[in-house]
Amino acid sequence: MDHVEALLIGGRAGVGKTTVGWEVTAQLAAAGVAHAYIEGDMIGQVHPAPADDPDRVHITERTLAAIWDNYARLGCRRLVYPRTVSVLPEYGEMIQRALTGEVRLIRVLLTASDATAVDRLTRREQGSRLEAELQTTAQKAPMLEARASSGTIRVSTDDRSVIEIAKEVMAASGWLE
């Protein structure tokens, strides 16, 4: 394979992006499929935000490019990339720039009801971030639904096991065929 494929797993807080992403990597590893995993929501976390980059888009792009360069040198051509906004057109463009060359993007938007997201966040957030996460997730869900790139595959996570969800996400990638 001379091109790169990136499986972008987007969705609101509490939908299960990280958990599903880790299960996807477990399924890929079990099948002997070479890949890399980069947690997109974490690689731009710097405080304070750079003055010329208040949304941390440029630092995220530079960090992704640097990490990917190391993985590409090892022969990686597939990336599993969970990030809240990864399914938006502008973030797809940023990811294509960071990975360089011919890049095929596979976009999956994980969805969950408000009740499911609130339940998961309440169990997950043990510190001072709970209220902020609850507010943000309520705002992000409709925005992601409305602005997701065309061709984005939607996968519901309500009342489903992580293994089942990851299998559906993997089917979207075609990497096990």
Side-chain angles (χ1 to χ4, degrees):
M1 173 188 310
D2 59 332
H3 65 281
V4 172
E5 295 184 343
L7 176 58
L8 311 180
I9 304 172
R12 67 195 280 179
V15 79
K17 297 175 301 294
T18 300
T19 303
V20 170
W22 277 116
E23 179 59 28
V24 165
T25 66
Q27 291 181 23
L28 289 170
V33 176
H35 67 285
Y37 175 95
I38 300 173
E39 177 62 48
D41 284 331
M42 296 302 171
I43 63 173
Q45 294 305 311
V46 59
H47 184 78
D52 62 341
D53 188 17
D55 294 325
R56 298 171 179 90
V57 174
H58 302 296
I59 188 62
T60 298
E61 181 176 343
R62 289 193 309 270
T63 304
L64 177 58
I67 295 169
W68 182 253
D69 180 61
N70 285 322
Y71 291 157
R73 289 173 192 260
L74 295 173
C76 286
R77 297 293 175 259
R78 290 187 178 103
L79 171 63
V80 177
Y81 187 81
R83 181 170 186 195
T84 301
V85 294
S86 63
V87 298
L88 299 180
E90 61 269 28
Y91 283 90
E93 293 167 8
M94 181 273 292
I95 291 163
Q96 287 184 312
R97 286 191 307 270
L99 302 185
T100 68
E102 182 183 339
V103 181
R104 174 181 168 241
L105 300 178
I106 305 144
R107 294 176 174 96
V108 176
L109 177 61
L110 300 182
T111 64
S113 68
D114 290 340
T116 296
V118 167
D119 177 61
R120 289 176 182 163
L121 286 170
T122 302
R123 284 186 283 131
R124 180 183 88 190
E125 296 298 328
Q126 299 299 308
S128 61
R129 295 281 311 150
L130 178 60
E131 287 305 314
E133 290 290 338
L134 292 172
Q135 288 178 353
T136 301
T137 197
Q139 296 166 349
K140 289 267 171 72
M143 182 274 294
L144 290 167
E145 185 61 42
R147 294 196 50 231
S149 296
S150 66
T152 298
I153 298 159
R154 283 143 175 91
V155 174
S156 174
T157 66
D158 288 315
D159 301 317
R160 299 177 70 197
S161 74
V162 172
I163 293 171
E164 180 183 2
I165 297 162
K167 285 181 180 179
E168 187 172 344
V169 171
M170 286 304 310
S173 75
W175 292 352
L176 294 180
E177 296 173 359

